[in-house]
Amino acid sequence: KSGLDPGGAWHAWGMACLKAGNLSSAREKFNRCLKPPMDLNQLNHGSRLVQDVIQYLEATVKPILIADDDYFATLRELEATLRTRSLSLEMMCEGKIQHNSYYQECLFYLHSYGTNLAIISFYMRHDCMREALLHLLNKESPSEVFIEGIFIPSYESGKLHMLENLLETIDPGLESWGVYLIAACKFLQRKNYYHILYELQQFMKDHVRAAMTCIRFFTHGAKSYTELGGKQTWLLKIKDHLKVYLQEVSRSAGRKKMAFTFRKKMSATDVSRHINTVDLQMEVTKFLHQCESLGASQMTDSSLPTLFGNNNMKMDVACKVILEGKNIEEGFGIAFRVLQDFQLEATEVYSKVAKQLVKQQKYSEIRQLLKCVNESGVAAKNDGDNIILNCLNEFKNIPAEDLDNLIQDMDSDENKIQAYVMCNKLRSAYLVSVRQEKARAVQLVQHVRQLAESSSDDVVKAICAQWL
């Protein structure tokens, strides 16, 4: 008469029937006010009214197992408890749910009015993980439902191994779980739960991704190569994963290819290249660890360079190796292999090293560096000269004797003249210029005279004029 929504009244009446134990009558009353959700895959447990019904029914059922804190349990009760606990998960679940009218009632309301997440969460609450997984598969629920309803509760309650065993029992190849497992990995990565992620990747036999996680364990948070020296077991694990992957690829090459697999793929060439990187990183780690323990560490960078970074970082590794040995020669071999393997810009690295040596005033070591570069067999004709020119470009205050020694080490007279001009040693530039063949010498001396004129160096200007 008053036009009020009768839903509340029907719900109250239904709850009264439930409390009186009249289950069939309660169904009829609830049918008038409860509605199934529009989207069964929404990430909630359905309407508040349905949740109230389930909560009441669950609270009404006496648990099969006795409470842990009941110290006065009789031997017979204890025996019964142990017997129940030793039953398989499936049996216990069926026994608990099938032979209890209240649990059956819960399932009726959940299937009629609840979301897939609510049904799955109900199974999980009552240790029926298998049923939860089968429901997920049958309804083809999205991966968010798997993560929210099954995965998070499993690892939070320490049942990740049980979940893995069940996934394998239901589908030994794990292919039907692929989408869910990849989503779980992404979720763990977002949360920075790398240890659980690594455990899951190993279960998935996703060796390439597991190797990538090991790289993170090796590099993350390390501030020195002494620390990395203590984390070398991760490098061995990376190699193990990649080798197992190679074996699996060669085994499956003969068989018919599978249409889809969720495991990360990589060509055998790439895998071999990565194994080579790991070997080289091991060598670098041992070398730099040893240098640090002898107190030879000189470069202090905010982030520690490794060969797992981009090309700039790899170049930093090469510089670090050359600079931190007892002398330039000691680390040059490893650095040279880094440059060759990753096809890095060698001259850029050598110039960087030379600039560091100038800063440290180790001029004789720059000459040793040039010797190593020339003897490497792959240096272009002007590489050594360019390294010195790059240095002079940045540092004008090298002591005269060291400066002369460096410029004398240059191959090309043209480069020597350029170097002398850069350092404002116009007399020396003139002396090299006049040794060139006539036509070129005239050009060079004219250029030196102009420079002398603009810098008011009357002595050099007069010598040039006289020669010309």
Side-chain angles (χ1 to χ4, degrees), residues 225-226 283-298 320-327 330-331 334:
Y225 262 88
T226 306
E283 223 173 307
V284 166
T285 307
K286 279 175 191 158
F287 178 76
L288 290 175
H289 181 197
Q290 194 181 357
C291 293
E292 283 182 8
S293 62
L294 295 169
S297 186
Q298 295 149 345
K320 200 172 170 64
V321 169
I322 295 176
L323 284 165
E324 295 203 3
K326 286 201 292 286
N327 51 44
E330 194 187 21
I334 298 175

Side-chain angles (χ1 to χ4, degrees), residues 39-56:
D39 174 16
L40 288 174
N41 286 322
Q42 60 197 38
L43 286 183
N44 59 41
H45 290 259
S47 73
R48 184 69 255 171
L49 301 181
V50 178
Q51 289 179 53
D52 288 347
V53 173
I54 302 300
Q55 244 167 354
Y56 174 76

Side-chain angles (χ1 to χ4, degrees), residues 251-270:
R251 268 206 303 271
S252 63
R255 282 187 257 132
K256 209 168 78 166
K257 281 210 157 61
M258 287 169 81
F260 164 79
T261 179
F262 57 88
R263 296 171 184 93
K264 190 167 177 66
K265 287 180 178 160
M266 195 178 269
S267 72
T269 331
D270 282 349

